[in-house]
Amino acid sequence: MNACLPESDLQQLGTDLLADFGRRIASIPQELCAPFSEEAGRLETELLMIYKFVALCVRKEENLAVIASKWALMVKICDEAAKELGILSERHPQCGADAYYDQILDLRAKCQRLQKIHS
């Protein structure tokens, strides 16, 4: 038996991650760039933690459909994170959050490749 979290719990991790990100950036004064960049980096780091958790979850999974489904969920979480970070980058283009946006898109592409491999 695989002791991995169900997809609903993984999705909740992603939802909570984005909600926390939204709350944190809402409290940052518009004229400050360093905190926006820090929050973008934090979003990427937390997203990577979810990615690592999913990788550990599927490591011993034998059902390819389950593995593909977990990676599809990770793609969805990356999409949502990229959307939020894209909004931040558009509102504050001078703050450099777009570099983190590109890294999240790279992670999304990796997850999508893993999804396709296991489909």
Side-chain angles (χ1 to χ4, degrees), residues 36-53:
F36 283 111
S37 184
E38 289 173 17
E39 287 302 331
R42 184 174 176 181
L43 176 67
E44 180 194 11
T45 299
E46 290 177 359
L47 191 60
L48 283 168
M49 291 303 297
I50 295 173
Y51 166 83
K52 289 176 183 181
F53 185 76

Side-chain angles (χ1 to χ4, degrees), residues 13-28 35-47 80-89 91-92 97 100-101 104:
L13 284 174
T15 300
D16 291 349
L17 166 72
L18 295 172
D20 291 345
F21 175 74
R23 279 191 293 277
R24 289 189 310 264
I25 64 167
S27 67
I28 299 172
F36 283 111
S37 184
E38 289 173 17
E39 287 302 331
R42 184 174 176 181
L43 176 67
E44 180 194 11
T45 299
E46 290 177 359
L47 191 60
E80 293 167 359
K83 179 182 173 187
E84 292 299 315
L85 197 53
I87 293 168
L88 177 64
S89 294
R91 290 182 183 159
H92 307 280
Y100 296 102
Y101 179 78
I104 288 175

Side-chain angles (χ1 to χ4, degrees), residues 51-109:
Y51 166 83
K52 289 176 183 181
F53 185 76
V54 170
L56 287 172
C57 279
V58 301
R59 191 171 73 185
K60 294 184 181 180
E61 179 61 56
E62 294 179 13
N63 185 332
L64 293 179
V66 170
I67 295 170
S69 180
K70 299 267 192 218
W71 287 122
L73 176 60
M74 193 63 212
V75 168
K76 182 180 175 189
I77 293 169
C78 287
D79 284 342
E80 293 167 359
K83 179 182 173 187
E84 292 299 315
L85 197 53
I87 293 168
L88 177 64
S89 294
E90 287 175 9
R91 290 182 183 159
H92 307 280
Q94 73 283 5
C95 292
D98 53 339
Y100 296 102
Y101 179 78
D102 291 342
Q103 291 171 337
I104 288 175
L105 290 181
D106 288 344
L107 180 61
R108 182 202 184 279

